[in-house]
Amino acid sequence: MPIAALPQSTVQAIGSTSVLSDACSVVKELLDNALDASASSISVEISQNTVDVIQVKDNGHGIPPEDHSLVCKRSFTSKIETLEDLRNVGGDSLGFRGQALASAAEMSGSLTVTTRVETQVVGSMLKYDQTGELIR
């Protein structure tokens, strides 16, 4: 499913306004995303001060180019489309609210995502600003 905006009624119903508050929350959400992308190998790198670097590398399915501009947008997700979808999300997805990457970008000031889907020979390095806008 492509990344898309959740309807406002769904955002309100699932309380999809929470933000990440610390480095542990960021790591947990990045791990959840890797697992949701069917990763079978995941590595985590965190700088000693937990501020300079938080990096999760995985071999998940990647983000298709048409979704690149939406990755860090608040309430955008590829995991559900409607409130009704929540009945089926259990066991299939660890995350679904479309908040984690937007919150991480906001908290850190910027966020870099390197991704490649199976059909691409070369991956893409994407940089997002504090507001979740793709800047390169």
Side-chain angles (χ1 to χ4, degrees), residues 18-35:
S18 63
V19 295
L20 304 178
S21 58
D22 58 29
C24 286
S25 299
V26 172
V27 171
K28 182 235 182 259
E29 294 292 340
L30 293 174
L31 289 172
D32 286 352
N33 281 350
L35 293 170

Side-chain angles (χ1 to χ4, degrees), residues 7-113:
Q8 194 56 38
S9 59
T10 302
V11 172
Q12 291 171 340
I14 63 176
S16 191
T17 59
S18 63
V19 295
L20 304 178
S21 58
D22 58 29
C24 286
S25 299
V26 172
V27 171
K28 182 235 182 259
E29 294 292 340
L30 293 174
L31 289 172
D32 286 352
N33 281 350
L35 293 170
D36 284 347
S38 302
S40 61
S41 175
I42 303 170
S43 68
V44 178
E45 178 186 339
I46 304 170
S47 60
Q48 192 168 11
N49 64 6
T50 70
V51 175
D52 293 334
V53 175
I54 296 175
Q55 180 174 276
V56 174
K57 293 180 183 180
D58 66 73
N59 65 346
H61 56 65
I63 303 164
E66 59 271 16
D67 288 342
H68 288 178
S69 65
L70 306 174
V71 169
C72 290
K73 296 283 188 187
R74 198 165 290 285
S75 300
F76 277 69
T77 183
S78 63
K79 297 167 187 168
I80 66 169
E81 292 177 340
T82 66
L83 189 56
E84 183 63 27
D85 291 342
L86 288 176
R87 295 183 194 276
N88 304 318
V89 80
D92 291 335
S93 179
L94 298 169
F96 56 85
R97 296 173 297 117
Q99 297 298 320
L101 294 178
S103 185
E106 185 177 324
M107 183 169 64
S108 66
S110 69
L111 186 88
T112 301
V113 175

Side-chain angles (χ1 to χ4, degrees), residues 91-132:
D92 291 335
S93 179
L94 298 169
F96 56 85
R97 296 173 297 117
Q99 297 298 320
L101 294 178
S103 185
E106 185 177 324
M107 183 169 64
S108 66
S110 69
L111 186 88
T112 301
V113 175
T114 304
T115 186
R116 184 182 71 85
V117 294
E118 189 174 357
T119 58
Q120 292 178 302
V121 176
V122 177
S124 300
M125 187 166 86
L126 314 168
K127 186 163 184 173
Y128 300 88
D129 68 13
Q130 191 169 16
T131 67

